[in-house]
Amino acid sequence: MTAVPTLRRMDGRWGVLVWPALLLICIFTPILPRLLAPLSAGTPPTTDVPLWQLTLTHLELVLGSEVIVLLIGVPLAVYVTRPGRAALMQLAEALTGLGQTVPTIAVLALAVPVLGFGTAPTLVGLIVYGLVPVVSNGVAGLLGVDGSVLDAARGMGMSPGQRLMRVELPLSLPVLWAGIRTSTVYNVSTATIGAALGAGGLGTPIINGLSQVNIGLVFLGAILAALLALSLDGLLSLLTPRR
């Protein structure tokens, strides 16, 4: 009686692999450009750089920024949720939240005079935008740990560091992981703007398509970016920790 629901859950989880499969088909075969040919005056849209290389550059931008986001966001969430730091917690959430209230192009424009064009200002924008869900979900997850569980850990003689590593972080990880997934998907779309600064990636055909009034080229970059976002979200869902 329980085997069928279990198999259905497994099929549902592994069904997300359809997005990476579609992405690979689109970047290694001419199918997508041919489908978009009617939007490009009957000619399949083409790029100077192979689609797989644009996708790889885009992926490097997203994953590179996400690593930095985690290195900043997770320790920050832990630090501000320690006892007696409520004011710091509110300040941290306000400052990270401010990042998403400022338009992406404005963040990049402010970074360019200091860092120049290319990858560096794009990474700054991705980090600023990616911090919000990681910090907010990290704080929510840590604050949501049942007090009785912490009391039990304290009664067992665990030190604050042991309670954090063995109790708080494992129990808050599902909530934090949801923030990581959201942050990653956000940054796939945000990274497309980096092409305007010379960072490359899937924003390149979008920018070129807009300048050439080539709708097919715009759709080429947009569809691949969407498939990349769905692929990363699906793969991260397979790794979602279970309580």
Side-chain angles (χ1 to χ4, degrees), residues 29-67:
T29 70
I31 291 177
L32 182 59
R34 289 176 181 175
L35 290 175
L36 296 174
L39 299 177
S40 300
T43 304
T46 58
T47 57
D48 296 331
V49 179
L51 294 179
W52 68 265
Q53 191 171 338
L54 291 175
T55 305
L56 183 60
T57 300
H58 204 93
L59 186 62
E60 289 173 350
L61 287 171
V62 172
L63 295 185
S65 63
E66 200 62 29
V67 169

Side-chain angles (χ1 to χ4, degrees), residues 1-186:
M1 295 297 292
T2 59
V4 173
T6 301
L7 288 175
R8 286 178 179 172
R9 285 197 297 271
M10 291 299 296
D11 290 342
R13 283 172 59 83
W14 289 104
V16 299
L17 294 179
V18 68
W19 301 118
L22 284 175
L23 178 63
L24 292 174
I25 291 171
C26 289
I27 63 178
F28 287 114
T29 70
I31 291 177
L32 182 59
R34 289 176 181 175
L35 290 175
L36 296 174
L39 299 177
S40 300
T43 304
T46 58
T47 57
D48 296 331
V49 179
L51 294 179
W52 68 265
Q53 191 171 338
L54 291 175
T55 305
L56 183 60
T57 300
H58 204 93
L59 186 62
E60 289 173 350
L61 287 171
V62 172
L63 295 185
S65 63
E66 200 62 29
V67 169
I68 300 174
V69 164
L70 293 179
L71 291 175
I72 297 173
V74 175
L76 181 60
V78 170
Y79 182 78
V80 300
T81 52
R82 299 306 90 191
R85 295 173 181 167
L88 283 177
M89 181 174 63
Q90 294 176 357
L91 178 61
E93 290 187 308
L95 289 177
T96 54
L98 184 63
Q100 286 196 339
T101 62
V102 179
T104 309
I105 194 66
V107 174
L108 297 177
L110 292 172
V112 166
V114 178
L115 302 173
F117 288 89
T119 301
T122 303
L123 285 175
V124 169
L126 295 177
I127 293 167
V128 169
Y129 268 73
L131 271 175
V132 180
V134 171
V135 174
S136 60
N137 278 48
V139 169
L142 289 167
L143 293 180
V145 176
D146 194 336
S148 61
V149 176
L150 294 177
D151 290 338
R154 197 176 292 111
M156 294 172 62
M158 287 188 182
S159 66
Q162 290 174 324
R163 291 197 299 271
L164 173 65
M165 299 303 297
R166 298 183 183 180
V167 179
E168 293 183 78
L169 285 178
L171 290 178
S172 64
L173 190 54
V175 179
L176 173 61
W177 196 258
I180 294 172
R181 287 176 60 184
T182 301
S183 174
T184 303
V185 172
Y186 275 176

Side-chain angles (χ1 to χ4, degrees), residues 204-215:
T204 302
I206 297 176
I207 299 297
N208 292 340
L210 290 173
S211 63
Q212 300 170 18
V213 196
N214 187 333
I215 303 301

